[in-house]
Amino acid sequence: MGRFGVGQGLRRVEDLRFLTGEGQYSDDIRLEGQCHGVLLRSPFAHAEITAVDLAEAKAAPGVLGVFTVEDLDADGLGNIPCLVPLRGKNGSNSIMPPRPALARGRVRHVGDAVAFVVAETLQQARDAAELIVVDYEALPAVTDTASAAQAGQPQVWDEAPNNTSLVWETGDEAGTKAAFAKADHVTRLEFVNNRIVVNSLEPRATLGAYDAAGETFTLYTGSQGSHRMLSPLCDNVFKVPQEKMHIITPDVGGGFGMKIFVYPETVLVLFAARRLGRPVRWNAERGEGFLSDTQGRDHVTLAELALDSDARILGLRVTTTANMGGYLSSFAPFIPTGCYGPMLSGLYRMPVGYAEVTTVFTNTVPVDAYRGAGRPEAAYLVERLIDAAARDVDLAPEELRRRNFIPPEALPYTTAFGETYDSGDFPGMLKRGLAAIDHAGLAARRKDAAAAGRLRGLGFACYGEVCGSNGEETARLEVKDDGFLELWIGTQSNGQGHFTAYAQLLADKLGVEPEQVTVHQGDSWDLPQGGGTGGSRSLLMGGQALDGAADRIIERSRAIAGHLLEAAEADIEFAEGVFTVVGTDKHLSLAQVARAASSDDSLPEGMKGPLEGQHHLVAGTQTYPNGCHLCELEVDTDTGRVKLLRYVVVDDFGVVVNPLLVGGQVHGGTVQGIGQALLEHTIYDGDGQLLTGSFMDYCMPRADDVPAIELTLVEDTPCTTNPMGVKGAGEAGAIGACPAVINALVNALAPLGIRHIDMPATPEKVWRAVQDARRQEAAE
């Protein structure tokens, strides 16, 4: 192993480039002759388009083209597909209405794209867009998730009665009903998982070009994987062979799920580039992102937990309504079903469970994956319900968990929802967390807070998730004559530190130093396939793919070394970057073998040529990271302000390649979860107008909202289902944070009789809950 192999806290090798301004993002790319596109977006949430007058806009200075859906139709463009057609309850098919890149006849949310203006300059395009005259006939809108499927609501799509796209189920309905019938106690909790605007640091940007001679498109865009976009763009929209689409993703400033998808703007720059014979650029402004980026979460749920007389779980029953927005985004229906349902058992022995999920259309921005994608929603449900149940049966929340945890000796364990957990020590993680936050000393601290007129609470959440192994992945590796390595890989860093982690894995495998490794990503023509980033997959899938490529390098090098050292291939061993004849001091370095392969004419023909290897990996068994988040906070009941005092995380990610990178991922995800729990909320009024359409109204977490996050990484139980022993880490922070914070808040407010507060627990919401509780107490 090199000095900075697996397990070492190597600082990110890519940071120098970013910190010195040498990063290259989508907006940094300039093509000769490029022009600029601007979208005219609907001011109405729901309206018929009765007429569009483009004449004045087309005649404006610098304008090269003004396009509507009729132009897309004329060029034979297809719709942007939803990629996950699901079967619902009783075998029904999900209703998947068409989504053209520009609205056809009707707009279905504020910000829906109506026309695309292309001009020589950005300002000319903006000016021309203001000259387009659209006649709208406003229609009633529906925005409320809970009531969208009720009779009498405005219909977003005629083909989706009661605004319902899908009614989906998982688990054992009859068995769950029987479990509840014999329960000694049933806890019920209704709650909202609030809608989130993703707000990545880098807004979306895309640049399209077209080579008429080669009939080839080139797309530059910040994405979560170039290869992921090929099929929808080529097979569904443009109907061209995939080799006619070249997608390049440069550096990306955050994605969090939102940059996985093909958007209307992606289609439009390519369409316009082909029409005009010029490269076309579109960049989102921040306010435009609020109106057009996919958003996250937005569930309304009734959850019920059945317990026996010893407070052992008998069953779980869940009814969830999930908001899809005005259109089905790429993976939207799968997030509240296939990503959510499997983790509804949490970390507990639960004999039976049943969940029914209804996905509904509303006149709002489409919803899709956001960091964690269904797993945070499931963890929030389970951990809030466990806390409520503990309170109902007068048990400490840690005691109810201890009685129901899956014990380590029961692993592997198959849950009521069909997941098989391979490894972990769930009771041990809680024990470590309670000790780290000094749970035993809470009573004294609570007394001190009360003396100062504040309420103190401590809450925790024991989360589990399923992640890591999805899709396919490809890696190609080449050893240069100087011993330096070049790696091409189909994953896509959005800021996580992939270049560093992959360099460390290769340092371990091939005995090189991390600085000898150059990583290439984001070019769809570099590799035949790539899975991108999403679902905490990159280390597991990318790591195994590059390990397979390195094995091919070693295998080929062993044959070359054997020939050069005049030894049988079986007698050549490899360690620390050196091939040695067993029992002798005869050896060659990896660099020497690479030089020989490229320049030694004495080698047999089959051994000559660049020293490279490629490996294609198909997803196998999932991983199940888990852990415990603990939060201690105080509430000022006069103002409703919540102040976080301590935040402790104990995580089991199996083998940790780089604790610094993992710490960064946990910190970032945790802050996003804290933001959702206390601050962030996407609000539409009854007419479908977005009331939180800028940072003036939409509150993001800041440094002074969050205490130091105290992280412990436990590596005692490596994953048993992959050779690396790793478990996904990229989304875990966002999964454990929301329930930990709200459990802590409800714990603080429990003396007032407050049982639940929905996210976000803003000062106003907390203050009102306190006032209501005090009025109720006075009335009694």
Side-chain angles (χ1 to χ4, degrees):
M1 182 180 78
R3 288 180 298 124
F4 294 109
V6 170
Q8 302 298 310
L10 174 65
R11 293 186 178 276
R12 296 181 5 147
V13 299
E14 52 265 70
D15 280 353
L16 179 63
R17 183 165 59 87
F18 294 136
L19 292 171
T20 56
E22 296 300 316
Q24 187 184 55
Y25 296 87
S26 296
D27 188 48
D28 295 320
I29 296 169
R30 297 287 185 269
L31 298 181
E32 184 178 353
Q34 73 177 26
C35 43
H36 299 266
V38 166
L39 281 156
L40 178 71
R41 298 186 182 276
S42 169
F44 294 95
H46 199 197
E48 295 285 354
I49 301 172
T50 59
V52 181
D53 185 349
L54 307 176
E56 200 173 348
K58 287 183 175 180
V63 170
L64 301 170
V66 183
F67 307 107
T68 64
V69 70
E70 285 76 17
D71 297 291
L72 307 185
D73 292 342
D75 280 18
L77 269 65
N79 296 311
I80 300 170
C82 173
L83 302 175
V84 283
L86 298 178
R87 297 295 289 248
K89 195 172 181 179
N90 301 320
S92 60
N93 292 317
S94 57
I95 296 173
M96 303 171 64
R99 188 185 187 187
L102 292 170
R104 177 178 287 113
R106 183 183 291 193
V107 292
R108 290 179 167 83
H109 66 86
V110 171
D112 208 352
V114 176
F116 189 54
V117 180
V118 182
E120 294 286 357
T121 70
L122 179 59
Q123 190 58 52
Q124 287 173 333
R126 287 173 175 164
D127 291 344
E130 293 182 0
L131 300 176
I132 298 173
V133 179
V134 183
D135 292 336
Y136 296 99
E137 182 179 321
L139 299 170
V142 56
T143 61
D144 178 59
T145 304
S147 61
Q150 293 177 4
Q153 288 284 3
Q155 294 296 290
V156 180
W157 292 95
D158 294 338
E159 56 264 52
N162 296 320
N163 292 315
T164 299
S165 172
L166 177 71
V167 179
W168 179 88
E169 64 179 348
T170 185
D172 179 354
E173 185 176 18
T176 301
K177 184 177 180 180
F180 273 76
K182 67 180 183 181
D184 288 275
H185 174 79
V186 174
T187 288
R188 294 178 175 86
L189 193 64
E190 294 184 67
F191 56 88
V192 172
N193 206 293
N194 45 317
R195 181 184 279 234
I196 294 297
V197 175
V198 177
N199 282 319
S200 59
L201 185 62
E202 178 204 20
R204 287 191 296 119
T206 188
L207 173 62
Y210 184 72
D211 174 19
E215 298 181 326
T216 301
F217 293 96
T218 301
L219 175 70
Y220 301 86
T221 189
S223 79
Q224 291 182 225
S226 297
H227 290 87
R228 286 177 181 258
M229 305 174 75
L230 285 171
S231 178
L233 282 173
C234 297
D235 302 341
N236 297 93
V237 178
F238 289 99
K239 302 165 188 173
V240 298
Q242 292 191 15
E243 59 267 24
K244 295 295 185 178
M245 183 71 67
H246 185 194
I247 302 177
I248 300 170
T249 295
D251 293 320
V252 182
F256 311 113
M258 180 268 289
K259 290 181 181 172
I260 293 174
F261 320 117
V262 169
Y263 285 88
E265 299 86 359
T266 317
V267 172
L268 292 170
V269 296
L270 293 168
F271 156 80
R274 184 169 66 177
R275 267 284 186 106
L276 300 173
R278 298 267 299 276
V280 179
R281 166 181 296 284
W282 173 83
N283 286 9
E285 296 182 353
R286 182 62 67 182
E288 201 170 11
F290 276 83
L291 298 176
S292 62
D293 296 349
T294 57
Q295 298 175 355
R297 315 294 191 234
D298 204 344
H299 288 192
V300 176
T301 294
L302 168 63
E304 302 170 280
L305 191 69
L307 302 174
D308 68 12
S309 58
D310 293 322
R312 309 285 181 182
I313 296 173
L314 296 175
L316 173 74
R317 186 161 53 204
V318 174
T319 305
T320 292
T321 302
N323 198 334
M324 299 287 97
Y327 300 92
L328 290 184
S329 180
S330 299
F331 299 107
F334 187 66
I335 306 308
T337 55
C339 290
Y340 173 68
M343 293 313 298
L344 288 172
S345 294
L347 302 177
Y348 306 104
R349 289 175 294 187
M350 186 178 291
V352 69
Y354 176 75
E356 180 179 284
V357 178
T358 301
T359 63
V360 296
F361 293 109
T362 62
N363 295 116
T364 62
V365 172
V367 174
D368 210 312
Y370 171 62
R371 196 170 193 168
R375 283 73 55 82
E377 296 91 317
Y380 184 75
L381 181 157
V382 172
E383 290 303 291
R384 281 295 297 123
L385 191 58
I386 290 286
D387 254 38
R391 182 168 170 177
D392 287 353
V393 299
D394 198 26
L395 279 179
E398 63 272 19
E399 176 57 26
L400 183 59
R401 287 173 170 84
R402 289 186 188 115
R403 292 189 188 189
N404 289 284
F405 273 135
I406 301 165
E409 60 270 18
L411 299 173
Y413 180 93
T414 300
T415 72
F417 292 97
E419 297 298 311
T420 301
Y421 301 164
D422 66 290
S423 58
D425 179 4
F426 312 141
M429 300 297 278
L430 175 58
K431 182 178 180 180
R432 288 173 185 259
L434 292 173
I437 207 166
D438 186 22
H439 181 261
L442 175 63
R445 298 193 298 276
R446 181 171 274 158
K447 184 177 180 181
D448 291 342
R454 296 184 293 274
L455 296 176
R456 185 176 285 232
L458 192 157
F460 43 87
C462 298
Y463 80 91
E465 66 157 321
V466 52
C467 66
S469 187
N470 62 75
E472 302 175 40
E473 196 51 71
T474 305
R476 185 172 84 249
L477 185 64
E478 181 177 349
V479 184
K480 298 297 186 180
D481 291 358
D482 55 7
F484 280 63
L485 309 180
E486 290 201 50
L487 171 68
W488 290 264
I489 195 158
T491 60
Q492 178 67 51
S493 178
N494 281 192
Q496 300 96 324
H498 291 180
F499 290 18
T500 303
Y502 294 153
Q504 287 183 265
L505 291 172
L506 288 170
D508 239 27
K509 183 78 172 184
L510 297 177
V512 299
E513 298 298 335
E515 56 266 26
Q516 292 178 263
V517 180
T518 299
V519 180
H520 304 277
Q521 61 169 15
D523 191 322
S524 67
W525 282 6
D526 279 348
L527 293 168
Q529 186 279 335
T533 185
S536 302
R537 72 183 299 279
S538 293
L539 181 62
L540 177 66
M541 297 293 291
Q544 290 184 88
L546 73 84
D547 188 74
D551 281 337
R552 282 160 174 72
I553 294 281
I554 293 170
E555 180 182 1
R556 185 174 167 214
S557 296
R558 183 176 280 114
I560 296 171
H563 177 83
L564 295 173
L565 296 172
E566 299 179 333
E569 186 175 334
D571 293 332
I572 301 293
E573 63 179 7
F574 178 72
E576 299 294 328
V578 177
F579 294 90
T580 305
V581 179
V582 175
T584 76
D585 61 357
K586 296 171 64 178
H587 63 272
L588 289 171
S589 69
L590 183 61
Q592 288 174 311
V593 172
R595 283 195 294 273
S598 62
S599 61
D600 191 333
D601 292 335
S602 68
L603 287 178
E605 283 302 317
M607 295 183 182
K608 292 179 181 178
L611 188 56
E612 59 184 12
Q614 182 167 303
H615 184 66
H616 178 74
L617 178 75
V618 177
T621 306
Q622 294 281 14
T623 75
Y624 297 92
N626 61 89
C628 184
H629 282 227
L630 305 98
C631 175
E632 188 164 340
L633 53 74
E634 282 186 349
V635 180
D636 183 335
T637 56
D638 291 332
T639 65
R641 183 172 184 267
V642 177
K643 182 175 178 61
L644 303 191
L645 302 173
R646 288 190 68 193
Y647 202 99
V648 170
V649 180
V650 184
D651 278 324
D652 171 9
F653 298 133
V655 174
V656 174
V657 171
N658 185 318
L660 282 180
L661 294 183
V662 170
Q665 289 297 294
V666 172
H667 291 181
T670 298
V671 173
Q672 286 180 284
I674 291 170
Q676 181 179 0
L678 297 179
L679 303 167
E680 298 185 53
H681 196 189
T682 310
I683 302 173
Y684 291 89
D685 70 11
D687 294 325
Q689 295 297 320
L690 180 61
L691 301 182
T692 51
S694 76
F695 290 143
M696 293 292 289
D697 306 296
Y698 186 95
C699 188
M700 297 284 285
R702 297 173 296 185
D704 60 353
D705 293 315
V706 183
I709 296 172
E710 306 165 46
L711 172 63
T712 299
L713 299 174
V714 178
E715 299 186 65
D716 297 344
T717 55
C719 184
T720 63
T721 61
N722 67 78
M724 299 175 67
V726 300
K727 307 174 186 180
E731 298 161 296
I735 294 171
C738 289
V741 171
I742 298 300
N743 282 346
L745 176 59
V746 173
N747 179 257
L749 297 174
L752 301 178
I754 295 171
R755 186 170 182 264
H756 178 68
I757 287 184
D758 270 327
M759 302 186 290
T762 60
E764 179 187 0
K765 191 180 291 185
V766 173
W767 182 85
R768 290 188 182 279
V770 170
Q771 300 311 306
D772 290 345
R774 286 174 172 169
R775 278 193 294 270
Q776 184 174 346
E777 183 181 18
E780 294 173 353

